[in-house]
Amino acid sequence: AAALLLLLLGVAPCAGHVHVFDSVRTAKTCTMWMEDLTADQYHQIRKNNCDKTVGRVARATEEFEVAKQNPKVSDAQKEDWTSRVSNATKLCDRAYTTSNSREAATLAVEAFGTAIMQNHLCCTRLRPPFCTVPVHQDSQMTFRSPAGILLSAGALLMLVMLVSSAIDSCIKRRQADERGQAEATPDEPPHTAGAAGPLMDATTLTLELQNDWIRASPLRALPGAKRMAASSASLFGSLFATFEFQKDSVRNQYEHLLSLWRSHVATVADRSLDDVDESFLLAQALDDLHCELLEGFLKWREKFRGYDDSKMPEFEGPPPAGGVQWEHIDRALCPTREHEEATERSTQLVEIAVYLLVWGEAGNVRFMPEVVYFITELALSSSGPGGPGFYGAAEPVAPGGRSGRFLARVIRPLYSLVFDEWYERVEINEKGGDKKVLIKGFERFLLPDVANYDDWNEFFCDPHQVVEGIILWDGRGLFEEEHSDRFAALSNVHWRASLKGSQIKTHRECHSMMGVFAATHRVWFLHALFFFVSVILVVEDTPANIPVPPSSAEAHSWRWRPLMGVGQLVRLSAVGLLVPVHAALWALARLETTSNNILTRSCTCLFFLESLCWTALWLAPIATFAFVRICAGQEEANPSKLNQGNLYTALAVHHAVTFLGVFFLLLAPAKKADRLFQLTAVPLRLRVIRYLFWFCVMVIKFLLGLTISAAVWNASANMEFINIGREAPEEILGLWRNSNWSANMYTWLILWLTAWWLFISDTAMWFQAGCMFLGVGIVFVQRSCFCCQFILEDALQKIPKRMSKFVFPYTKMLRGEEISEYFPALWDRVVAYMRYEDKCESDGLGSLSFHRGRGAGLTWEKLSLKTHPLQATHGRDYTMPDFFEHLTLPEVTWRNYCGWPKSLANEDLKWRLYALARGLGLPMPRPFRAPYIPGITVMIPHYGETIILSKSELYDIGANDQSRRSHVQLGGLCKVPVREMVPLIDWLRNRYQDEYRAFVNRMQARGMHIGGVAWDDLQEHQWDKICVWASMRMQTLWRTVAGMCLYHPALQVHYDVQRIESSRLAASDVWNAADCFTCMISMQIYKSFDKNRLSQTNKMFNKLPDSLQVAYIDHEDLYPQTDDTASMRRREAAEQAAAIDRVHPRQARRYWSCLIDKKCPVQPDLRRTPKYRIELPGFPILGDGKSDNQNHAIPFMRGIFSQCIDANQGAYFEQMLLLPCVLGEFRTHARGKGKAKRIIGLPEHITSDFGSIGDFAAGSEIAFGTISQRSFAVLGGRMHYGHPDIMNKQYMMQQGGVSKATKTINLSEDIFAGMDFTLRGEGRKIRHCEYFHVAKGRDLGFNAVLGFFSKLSNGTGEQMLTRQMMRLSQCLQLPEALTFHYAHAGYYLTQYLISESMPILVFTWLLIVCSDCNRQWTSMYDVDCTTSAAEAMGNVLGTWFSAIIFFFLIITSLPLFAEIWLERNFGTALRRWVTQLCTCSFLLFIFQSKIIGYYIMAEIKQGGASYVATGRGLPTDRRAFVGTPAYVFFKVVIAVQNVDMTRLKANDRLKQLATENIRKAIVAATGGKSVKTEDVTVSFHDRESIVVEIDSDSRSGTNAVKAKLGSNSVGGEVAKQLAAVPDIGQVCRGAVTATSVLKKADAGWGIDSVGGLYLDYTQHTYYRGIELLFYTLLLLYAGGYSEAGVYKSSLTYTFVSIGLVIFAWLYAPFIFNPYQFSAGY
């Protein structure tokens, strides 16, 4: 709107002749549009008009004669044409007889323009367009003219719209602020009385904590442990009493401290593994822990201390921390035994303890790490609390509140600030869950000026803002207090006034293309440079491209030279004009995304001076280009050495200024505000590789663009389009108001804009191709470039040697062998796990095991290392497995390139062996040696995902028609029923036939017979085993947790075979693998689990190791809902307590974060009593769910490393053995070194690759997670993707956690961890390793896959508007920025560009073809019409869409082909690649591209991003076309036991009563909404059966009725109602029971509920597909193909591409949904 407003305001007062509004007021005669031409120029005009062969009059004469032959032409028209030709001929004859050249030209112009065209077209120009439309001299537009009035009214309307929109936005935001202040925070300070004090004595807690160290922690074995335990326990107990933290939080953080401490003991000891001195390990590890955990805090504090107004003093010795009294660390525990070192260690312990306790209770404030630093510093520096304590006197009378006072007075006000900024309230919904209600207007996205976590956190990064901005309720500043008193004043801070969103906002997340441009401008600027250079290089200085001046005196005047100049060098200098244009756009984008807060703070003299300098730099290319043009004109007029030197000097100056502008825009665009931290330096070698990579990519793209630009230039020349760059200023000023010239110019502009669109659309494909080649090259580099060895080696045969050397290097080797003495037993245990997972048969273990015949009767207990430890092998009492035997070169070649021998048929087993062999051949660090293995926690967020598949999910009898059931033999295993709908267990058994056979045989060896038994006849204990077996093959939580818990036995293996015997930590009563590994499930809704889910959770606890923990959110209602007097009193007491505790007034519950483990007792309701129960400041799920779920559980994580895993993943035992090697990636050789600051990315094995959709999705994921990530890591563009990356948890705590949680903005929460990690820099790096894998399942169904991509697209759309995206794009070096763009947001944005390319191309093609000359009247056009538009476009499209289109189709799957070749073998890769092509994968990718493009642009413009639950289920659900059908008739057969039907039918009274009760039963069983009693007909049959028929007129809810009638609940309800019939005992022989079967369900023509596959994608693709089809048909009708001439054949690829797009957009959902239709639809 602003651009249109400026255009209208600019056009209205300045426009001259506007042909659009005055088209009928033409000039009286055609006149020359230029005066004072040369004689030759006049002769050329005469020839153009009156030449006897090519002149327009001659051609018009011929065309009139042809037209007269048409019988539809009237005699009057013929006579008029004859008169025109006669007059024109006379004028031409006079033109050729006169000697005055000017008069001859004038007569010729009149001959054609006046005589033939009746003054509607005058041909007076010497180059295209030759003719113009004359306008009347009096048609000048003014504000009083109709045209002026219309334009002025439009401009005024736009201005009113802009002003009203701005006013409306301001009013709404102010109303939201006022509402938040009125409802959330009162205008007076909150209660001065605090909550209740500590619930227990600090001394008691101190003793408990000390006992936790001495009895449970492995640190108890180290020297000085008791004294260190006493010191730390007394410190935590005193802090608990002083600051009134929650008891469970203190206990939890103390356990957390011990876990961190133990991990650092391991890392310190690992540095001197050959000679570990454990005497002072505790003190040394404490030093390391303090350095890493508090690195961010220490730098933050140093920054604030450097700001004089903060008045933050340094302390000599331990900080007062509220005046706590505790036992300081004894100097005898320190290596130097000096008092100074003991004091330093005591200081470190205090700082760690306070930080952990503050962080542990921070709740949602944890997302703002600098806020946690601020509170920590105030707490550390605080003096004694004095008489009333830090928070005022506690109320002596109950209820004095239930929350800890630190939570209530310090954390909860900050939480309320966050909550009030986004939400109205949290309600309790009908199901008892929580429903959060956003502020009105925030439903689709948070407004740009609404603050979020990043804004508040950045406020606390700035000492000036903190000192000046934080005020108390009495109006004084917090920093006016003494530093030691500030913590006491913290509870009296007026947070809403201090941290008001509009005052502290730094970056505005604007949902507009300006917001996108601010983050991506470097990408477009680079493309613009290449594109314009390619265009300029193809332009030629032919006479037709150079303006003809009216006289020789004007020949070299700049007014008559082309805008872009003459000569290649001069034209190239025009590229510099991009600098001011781009700088202006970028400045507007920055202005749009910069908050008023930043702009206000920037309004200084220095800022204005700096702005003037930048403006001068941006505008300089305009001045220097003008200078170049002047010098060029002088050099053309007088080509002397002086003028030539001046030209070269001007060019040098111009190019220098341009280069400077390009440098700052492209290579160094970051502003000071963009760099909050110093980015990590990149080694020179990597930087060279990155620049070289992008140089190659852009050169290839540029060469292709050069070809395309040449084709477009030739097409525009052939069609005689004007070229604005080759027009002279005088020509433009004289012709810009002419409609012919304007139409010609717009057509030219659209053609070149289309070329620009296509130019920027294919970069991602070239980047993908480059990554493929780079990824393959990296593989060879990782193997020291021994290409032949890698290609021909037998990696499987080298597993024993490499695993012994790299994974177990500390064990003894077998005599005469290069394998560990433990390897045979270890490998047999690996194979045993494979056998237990049913990947192979017991009789097939011979080729895999060292000791044959040990796989029969395998149980989980036999895999336990406690009961069945590994034994070292001595001598040759083993047999080498077959595939470890040495192979000849032909055998190796056959296996590597043609496939595995058929003896191992399980594909998953093959992949696992190949993956292990390949991984062991990669460089990997030395493993940590037990017991010095640092701790790691695997976090698995869980919401509603399936835990274990139940019998009802696998095999639902009630849903099938038993009358149609028969039995057939399947696979020789058992007889199974044939049904209309195949049960899931049958599908799984058929999909995994070999694994099911192995499972049956394993169960049979244990005495449990499953094979040969029908599903109906299996017992519950058998179904339990089947459910677990099926769950391990579906995407269930059980599979994920069982897989990740394999870390525990893997670590135990390392302890058993290569521990350091001399270490005190290696004692059998001290070592516990659970100290090194914790598997924590963050079960957000565990509180609302039913008994089935609770029993499944307990089953996990019972079977899996004791390292398994579950964190969940508990809640209690604040106010009783009953009306009795006691309840009212309790309500009043609860309200008083909530007010004292500062519970948010618009939340109806209190919330707790709880932890349970195996040792927690089970309650009668199957829930476990929590080990820790920590109150939260309020409702914790303020974001989109997952990140908040992770955040509440983070305080329970143990160890220094974390791995985030989704609930659709799995793991393998042989891979888990490599964990100590992976942790070695973080190894540092000295305290504080950079390797600890890492994120280690790991690949995934996609297991859900069945079905075409599943195979396509899995293939894309495999390529993305392996070869792409490998390249991204080298190119500096890899971020964090949530899973299965391993991170140093200490550094993630310092940036707010493992993800971010602002509503809508952080929908794709995981990637922000990597983005923030990179932005914080200072040594942080992200690395990708490929020797370690985990399994992962993907979406399988068509809608599920596209739903997943819609979620990603929405999340990416929000990403592009964030500060992280913009700052990374500015701060990273150009190659890293380009990689970051195209590896993330650029990929999705490119999908939009590609999806819109074909419609834009067809529209442009159609426009140009339709604007072509009418071949019957070629003389009456402004050009010569020598070349048809269809031919010209045929030439262009033949260049654009040559055979290279197939390269683009193939290149999308080439990375997968290359990776599978590297991972498996050539044969497997070729088969999968050909299979995908033959199953039309490209159609899905075309459709997918359209969906991605639709959602990302919709999100950028409209918002509305939300989490999409795709389900990850099998693609076996039927999907209706436009809606689910409405069923009109049902027939149910009910088998009743113990009722004599003959006697019942004979008794009319009983029969009537029974009929009424059965009707009631049917109505009750179906819900009572869609079925009424009068719809039910009951008939009694012999043989104890009742037939119920339902004939309903309802058209809603009938699908639910069908589902309920198909369940067993109907029979139970009928039996219950029959038993309630009076005197029914007369016809009964015992207790009444009944079972029901749905025999028939007839669908009518109605629709139960609207929705289906058609409506799913109507607005996304169907409408656009029909539109593209229509334009294509119109194009064919207009002659776009038939008139292409010799270029018809070159259009084949173009129409193939168009056809593929149309076909994919219209039919892909129906092609890739094999379960789409059924007879009822």
Side-chain angles (χ1 to χ4, degrees), residues 753-773:
L753 286 177
T754 303
W756 160 253
W757 187 281
L758 295 178
F759 181 80
I760 64 176
S761 297
D762 66 348
T763 309
M765 296 183 183
W766 294 112
F767 169 70
Q768 187 178 4
C771 286
M772 182 193 68
F773 290 109

Side-chain angles (χ1 to χ4, degrees), residues 37 155 196 253 311 319 401 624 847 858 1215 1289 1480 1544 1712-1713:
L37 296 178
Q253 289 307 316
K311 300 176 183 178
T624 55
S847 62
L858 189 62
Q1215 293 289 333
K1289 184 191 69 180
C1480 300
L1544 178 62
F1712 295 108
N1713 258 301

Side-chain angles (χ1 to χ4, degrees), residues 487-503:
F487 183 82
L490 195 60
S491 59
N492 294 318
V493 170
H494 193 339
W495 288 114
R496 176 162 290 280
S498 303
L499 303 180
K500 187 176 180 181
S502 58
Q503 296 176 354

Side-chain angles (χ1 to χ4, degrees), residues 36 75 200 202 251 338 590 708 782 802 820 869 990 1084 1309 1353 1470 1525 1570 1576 1668 1684 1708 1711:
D36 300 327
D75 293 337
M200 65 177 294
R251 291 172 55 219
E338 297 289 341
R590 290 293 297 239
I708 295 175
Q782 289 172 340
R802 287 176 173 173
S820 168
N990 186 57
Q1084 181 177 329
E1309 71 290 327
S1353 303
L1470 183 62
S1570 299
V1576 182
L1668 181 58
I1711 295 173

Side-chain angles (χ1 to χ4, degrees), residues 351-415:
E351 290 177 347
I352 291 171
V354 173
Y355 171 75
L356 288 178
L357 291 175
V358 171
W359 177 82
E361 287 201 37
N364 295 73
V365 180
R366 274 192 293 270
F367 288 116
M368 301 176 283
E370 271 69 22
V371 180
V372 176
Y373 296 162
F374 174 76
I375 299 172
T376 301
E377 169 60 23
L378 297 188
L380 284 170
S381 305
S382 62
S383 57
F390 281 122
Y391 315 107
E395 289 191 352
V397 181
R402 302 170 51 187
S403 302
R405 296 220 282 178
F406 175 79
L407 174 71
R409 302 304 300 274
V410 177
I411 299 299
R412 198 162 267 154
L414 285 166
Y415 168 85

Side-chain angles (χ1 to χ4, degrees), residues 394-466:
E395 289 191 352
V397 181
R402 302 170 51 187
S403 302
R405 296 220 282 178
F406 175 79
L407 174 71
R409 302 304 300 274
V410 177
I411 299 299
R412 198 162 267 154
L414 285 166
Y415 168 85
S416 297
L417 173 74
V418 177
F419 181 84
D420 291 333
E421 189 75 7
W422 305 340
Y423 290 98
E424 288 279 1
R425 61 190 179 277
V426 175
E427 303 173 340
I428 302 176
N429 60 26
E430 298 177 354
K431 298 181 180 180
D434 298 294
K435 178 184 177 182
K436 51 189 179 182
V437 180
L438 286 160
I439 293 175
K440 186 177 181 180
F442 292 5
E443 291 82 1
R444 298 194 65 83
F445 57 85
L446 301 182
L447 297 181
D449 292 306
V450 174
N452 55 54
Y453 290 123
D454 290 322
D455 294 305
W456 289 306
N457 191 64
E458 289 179 10
F459 174 86
F460 284 90
C461 290
D462 187 349
H464 175 74
Q465 286 198 89
V466 172

Side-chain angles (χ1 to χ4, degrees), residues 52-352:
K52 296 183 178 180
T53 55
V54 296
R56 291 181 176 268
V57 172
R59 284 188 287 156
T61 303
E62 295 177 2
E63 290 166 355
F64 283 151
E65 293 299 324
V66 173
K68 290 178 181 179
Q69 307 302 320
N70 190 339
K72 296 182 179 180
V73 177
S74 65
D75 293 337
Q77 182 66 64
K78 294 178 182 179
E79 184 178 350
D80 178 60
W81 286 346
T82 302
S83 174
R84 292 189 188 187
V85 170
S86 176
N87 294 335
T89 303
K90 293 177 181 178
L91 289 171
C92 283
D93 290 341
R94 291 176 56 192
Y96 272 97
T97 57
T98 184
S99 59
N100 188 323
S101 59
R102 186 180 186 282
E103 182 182 357
T106 302
L107 292 172
V109 169
E110 289 183 4
F112 180 74
T114 303
I116 298 294
M117 298 303 298
Q118 301 291 300
N119 295 324
H120 285 283
L121 193 68
C122 298
C123 299
T124 60
R125 279 175 51 84
L126 298 172
R127 64 193 192 114
F130 296 101
C131 307
T132 58
V133 176
V135 293
H136 199 278
Q137 297 297 323
D138 297 332
S139 61
Q140 189 78 11
M141 188 190 73
T142 65
F143 281 113
R144 295 181 180 181
S145 66
I149 293 174
L150 286 176
L151 287 176
S152 301
L156 181 63
L157 177 62
M158 289 296 171
L159 180 62
V160 171
M161 291 172 62
L162 286 174
V163 173
S164 62
S165 176
I167 294 175
D168 182 65
S169 177
C170 295
I171 291 175
K172 286 185 176 180
R173 185 68 195 115
R174 184 165 61 251
Q175 289 175 346
D177 287 342
E178 293 173 354
R179 180 175 61 252
Q181 292 178 3
E183 297 182 1
T185 305
D187 289 333
E188 67 263 1
H191 293 276
T192 56
L199 302 180
M200 65 177 294
D201 183 63
T203 304
T204 305
L205 178 60
T206 300
L207 293 176
E208 284 187 11
L209 298 179
Q210 192 169 349
N211 288 334
D212 288 343
W213 181 308
I214 300 302
R215 294 180 181 178
S217 174
L219 298 178
R220 67 184 183 274
L222 294 176
K226 290 186 178 180
R227 283 180 289 178
M228 198 68 81
S231 296
S232 59
S234 65
L235 174 60
F236 272 74
S238 298
L239 290 172
F240 163 71
T242 302
F243 294 98
E244 301 186 36
F245 296 109
Q246 299 179 61
K247 174 195 170 185
D248 275 5
S249 179
V250 175
R251 291 172 55 219
N252 175 60
Q253 289 307 316
Y254 188 75
E255 183 180 311
H256 185 200
L257 170 66
L258 297 184
S259 175
L260 294 172
W261 210 334
R262 193 212 69 81
S263 295
H264 280 282
V265 164
T267 59
V268 171
D270 181 75
R271 295 173 191 154
S272 56
L273 205 55
D274 296 333
D275 185 22
V276 179
D277 182 7
E278 296 183 342
S279 302
F280 305 104
L281 266 183
L282 286 174
Q284 293 170 337
L286 180 62
D287 188 27
D288 262 40
L289 171 58
H290 180 267
C291 176
E292 292 192 10
L293 180 65
L294 298 185
E295 180 187 278
F297 169 70
L298 297 176
K299 292 183 177 180
W300 177 89
R301 184 170 63 183
E302 181 182 357
K303 179 180 179 181
F304 269 69
R305 284 177 176 173
Y307 185 71
D308 294 337
D309 292 344
S310 67
K311 300 176 183 178
M312 292 173 57
E314 297 187 29
F315 296 97
E316 294 183 2
V324 295
Q325 302 297 319
W326 63 288
E327 298 181 27
H328 289 211
I329 295 177
D330 193 343
R331 63 182 183 178
L333 300 177
C334 302
T336 64
R337 300 182 185 274
E338 297 289 341
H339 176 72
E340 290 77 8
E341 185 178 1
T343 301
E344 183 181 358
R345 298 294 173 267
S346 298
T347 300
Q348 292 173 345
L349 184 58
V350 173
E351 290 177 347
I352 291 171

